[in-house]
Amino acid sequence: MATLLGRLAVRLGMPAVVGELCTGVILGPSILSHIWPSLSEGLFPPNTTQFHLLDAVGQIGVLLLVGITGVHLDLGLVKKNGLISANVSFFGLIIPLGLGVATGLLLPASLVASSKDQTVFALFLGVAMCVSAIPVIAKTLIDMNLLHRNVGQFTLTAGMVDDAFGWFMLSIVSAMATSGLRTGTVAFSLAAMAGVLIFAVVAGRPLTRWAFQVAGRSSDHSLTVAVAAALILLSAAGTHALGLEAIFGAFIIGILISEYGKPDPARLAPLRTIVLGVLAPIFFATAGLRMDLTALAKPEVLLFALLVLAIAIIGKFVGAYIGARLSKLGHWEGLALGAAMNARGVIEVIVAMAGLRLGVLNTETYTIVILVAVVTSLMAPPLLRWAMSHVEDTPQEQERAHALLAYRGGGGSQGSAAA
């Protein structure tokens, strides 16, 4: 169903990820469980263990997707224009974070979990407003053939910084919600992030280069696919073990594979095909299964949901746009960055689930955060398409597009058409 709705979305001029996200909403508690409860329970039994098995497939898919995205990041462009990504990231963090905290302090007490302090809730809402969703952004850029564009590269870099900061802040708010904030918690999170980057530079580069040199000597192309998949999943497991987000490790190793592993693009094409054709659609559909939008039937919840949604959209959009303009990017490039960075997607869902588990969010506020995740993910692609239609390709971007086609296994007239 995710594949079919993804194809339908493409037919309607939208990226496939839009249809894939809607799949879970249709099959989940928002629609199917109300229309046909017995069928819903038969398809997705209310058994935590069974749902975790389905979720595991999706998690493998998203980690490989983020790793592949990192492979296509032009590190030379990032180094050359690091100030642009830094500005977009900084203002895209500070403005929505501040607006989110202010909104959390102003929301009525009835929407705040009774067992938690409103300050903790406000900080949590600020974190939810400042994150982006690298998996959704990456899939959208791939679906729209924008991964090779400079705006796409800046978006990925700034989005990863935003998410890294978001997970760091989430660890702090989680500590405040449970045992109270401690200096050791903050210090360990910062040290872990620094340690991952140092390990990537010192040990990750030679290990990645050696692994792909060995794989490249074999006539069996599947060995290169196996090495790439193993490195991505091991790196994700490593950062997760340190209390950081697994996506962070997958993205870092993707960059190392691109810059130092330098595998033959044709050998990696099968991995990209199975991830984008099977695993990623399952992941996005599974994310929608957790969403129950029927709580919005309450007028008070709907009113504040619309308020939080407006603040989330405006804060991220304005922050990214200001960062882009201060970096001397054009008006349309700033709008494109604002549109792309707005997608919260499944990262927002993960944050919301953490808040519910910690008791920071109740059912109503959980639903509000989920609404932000869905709406921002659905509105990002059309806004991005509109803005990018006013930004011309550069020779550097066209060269990068040809390299990307090689990873797709495309060539000849089909490759030209895809570009």
Side-chain angles (χ1 to χ4, degrees), residues 47-365:
N47 182 299
T48 305
T49 303
Q50 291 194 1
F51 192 86
H52 284 336
L53 289 172
L54 177 62
D55 193 44
V57 179
Q59 288 299 319
I60 293 173
V62 72
L63 293 174
L64 293 175
L65 172 64
V66 172
I68 290 173
T69 304
V71 171
H72 297 309
L73 187 69
D74 187 342
L75 196 58
L77 177 70
V78 173
K79 291 177 180 177
K80 182 180 178 181
N81 300 283
L83 183 62
I84 296 176
S85 297
N87 282 337
V88 172
S89 176
F90 176 77
F91 288 99
L93 273 171
I94 295 301
I95 294 179
L97 177 65
L99 290 175
V101 171
T103 304
L105 292 173
L106 294 175
L107 282 180
S110 60
L111 290 177
V112 180
S114 57
S115 61
K116 299 298 176 183
D117 182 81
Q118 185 146 356
T119 303
V120 176
F121 168 75
L123 286 171
F124 188 90
L125 189 61
V127 172
M129 296 298 100
C130 77
V131 298
S132 296
I134 282 293
V136 175
I137 292 172
K139 186 66 163 54
T140 300
L141 292 173
I142 292 171
D143 289 344
M144 299 176 68
N145 288 323
L146 294 176
L147 195 57
H148 68 283
R149 302 295 299 272
N150 290 344
V151 166
Q153 301 283 305
F154 296 146
T155 301
L156 288 175
T157 309
M160 182 50 64
V161 174
D162 281 10
D163 281 358
F165 178 81
W167 294 119
F168 169 67
M169 286 295 298
L170 182 61
S171 67
I172 293 177
V173 176
S174 298
M176 292 176 67
T178 53
S179 58
L181 183 62
R182 297 175 182 173
T183 306
T185 303
V186 179
F188 180 80
S189 296
L190 286 172
M193 290 180 66
V196 168
L197 295 176
I198 293 171
F199 181 84
V201 172
V202 175
R205 292 187 298 177
L207 285 173
T208 303
R209 185 185 296 113
W210 172 79
F212 281 99
Q213 283 176 349
V214 173
R217 296 187 193 123
S218 172
S219 59
D220 186 359
H221 289 199
S222 64
L223 184 59
T224 300
V225 172
V227 168
L231 286 176
I232 292 170
L233 295 178
L234 284 172
S235 299
T239 52
H240 184 263
L242 291 172
L244 303 173
E245 178 55 31
I247 288 172
F248 181 57
F251 190 74
I252 293 296
I253 195 63
I255 296 173
L256 294 182
I257 291 173
S258 172
E259 292 296 315
Y260 304 101
K262 297 186 182 299
D264 181 358
R267 288 178 173 239
L268 278 186
L271 178 62
R272 188 181 187 281
T273 300
I274 194 66
V275 170
L276 296 181
V278 180
L279 296 176
I282 291 175
F283 167 74
F284 289 112
T286 304
L289 289 176
R290 292 190 173 96
M291 304 172 185
D292 186 358
L293 303 180
T294 57
L296 298 175
K298 299 178 182 178
E300 182 187 30
V301 176
L302 179 60
L303 176 64
F304 286 106
L306 294 175
L307 173 63
V308 172
L309 177 62
I311 289 173
I313 294 171
I314 293 170
K316 200 72 172 179
F317 207 105
V318 170
Y321 182 82
I322 289 175
R325 296 296 281 163
L326 287 176
S327 303
K328 300 182 180 179
L329 291 181
H331 168 70
W332 291 109
E333 290 173 305
L335 291 178
L337 280 164
M341 294 287 289
N342 234 313
R344 267 58 168 218
V346 75
I347 302 300
E348 191 88 314
V349 175
I350 295 171
V351 171
M353 290 179 63
L356 195 64
R357 186 181 68 251
L358 293 167
V360 177
L361 302 180
N362 56 24
T363 304
E364 287 78 12
T365 48

